[in-house]
């Protein structure tokens, strides 16, 4: 049976370790693969916590931007890099030339941590493509974002995963 893929989206600059590290450990403990955009910030901090879990079955997957990406791709915690030709991100994250589509469509569930326009675009794409999506972090971080389920606690995230067939 294939392992579930949990996509974690969030800031490429701010690591939000207080949210990302426990989430990475939870995803690893659930026996899932972790998928991120493969860069810094949340992507690096969730991946670092994920790969630190001993005897995990899942792998850290990074969907990388095109060849003109800023330095730092892939981060050192990406075990399976998926290189793309797709150059757009941030405010252009809804465009067909953005890897955000690959990130969302490759994920069985999407968990968004606080981030900028690129993260918001991924949430919008998850809703468009009918992927289960959860906003995780302080409610104020998602004030004007599209309507999606919100979780302030890791217990809520665990319930969200269980309700979507990703057992403990």
């Amino acid at each position: 049976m294939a392992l579930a893929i949990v996509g974690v989206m969030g800031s490429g600059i701010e690591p939000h370790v207080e949210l990302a590290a426990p989430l990475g450990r939870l995803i690893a403990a659930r026996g899932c693969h972790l998928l991120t955009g493969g860069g810094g910030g949340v992507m690096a901090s969730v991946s670092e916590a994920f790969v630190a879990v001993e005897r995990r079955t899942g792998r850290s997957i990074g969907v990388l931007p095109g060849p003109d990406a800023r330095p730092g791709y892939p981060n050192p915690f990406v075990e399976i890099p998926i290189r793309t030709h797709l150059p757009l991100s941030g405010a252009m994250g809804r465009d067909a030339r953005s890897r955000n589509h690959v990130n969302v469509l490759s994920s069985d569930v999407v968990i968004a941590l606080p981030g900028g326009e690129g993260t918001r675009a991924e949430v919008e794409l998850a809703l468009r493509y009918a992927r289960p999506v959860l906003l995780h972090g302080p409610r104020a971080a998602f004030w004007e974002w599209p309507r999606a389920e919100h979780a302030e606690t890791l217990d809520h995230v665990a319930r969200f995963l269980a309700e979507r067939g990703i057992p403990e």
Side-chain angles (χ1 to χ4, degrees):
M1 183 171 160
L3 301 180
I5 299 173
V6 178
V8 176
M9 315 305 163
S11 174
I13 299 167
E14 296 296 325
H16 295 287
V17 175
E18 73 286 357
L19 297 169
L23 180 60
R25 291 188 292 270
L26 174 71
I27 293 167
R30 294 276 173 126
C32 300
H33 294 300
L34 169 68
L35 182 142
T36 71
V42 164
M43 298 174 277
S45 58
V46 72
S47 298
E48 180 178 12
F50 178 88
V51 301
V53 174
E54 294 184 25
R55 297 191 186 122
R56 65 187 155 80
T57 54
R59 294 289 172 251
S60 172
I61 304 164
V63 179
L64 310 179
D68 296 330
R70 65 183 185 262
Y73 287 90
N75 70 57
F77 311 105
V78 170
E79 297 171 309
I80 302 173
I82 299 175
R83 292 170 177 78
T84 75
H85 64 290
L86 303 167
L88 300 181
S89 62
M92 301 296 292
R94 296 161 197 80
D95 188 281
R97 294 171 295 157
S98 168
R99 76 186 194 285
N100 290 355
H101 297 270
V102 177
N103 292 349
V104 168
L105 289 169
S106 298
S107 299
D108 296 305
V109 299
V110 172
I111 301 174
L113 276 60
E117 283 299 314
T119 306
R120 183 178 175 148
E122 287 165 319
V123 169
E124 291 172 2
L125 291 172
L127 294 168
R128 180 192 310 171
Y129 293 129
R131 288 293 192 260
V133 59
L134 180 71
L135 309 177
H136 177 47
R139 191 169 298 279
F142 304 104
W143 180 249
E144 294 185 7
W145 286 41
R147 288 184 166 255
E149 187 173 345
H150 178 258
E152 289 195 24
T153 68
L154 195 61
D155 286 341
H156 188 154
V157 174
R159 285 192 307 275
F160 174 85
L161 293 173
E163 290 166 359
R164 279 136 193 97
I166 300 172
E168 292 183 39

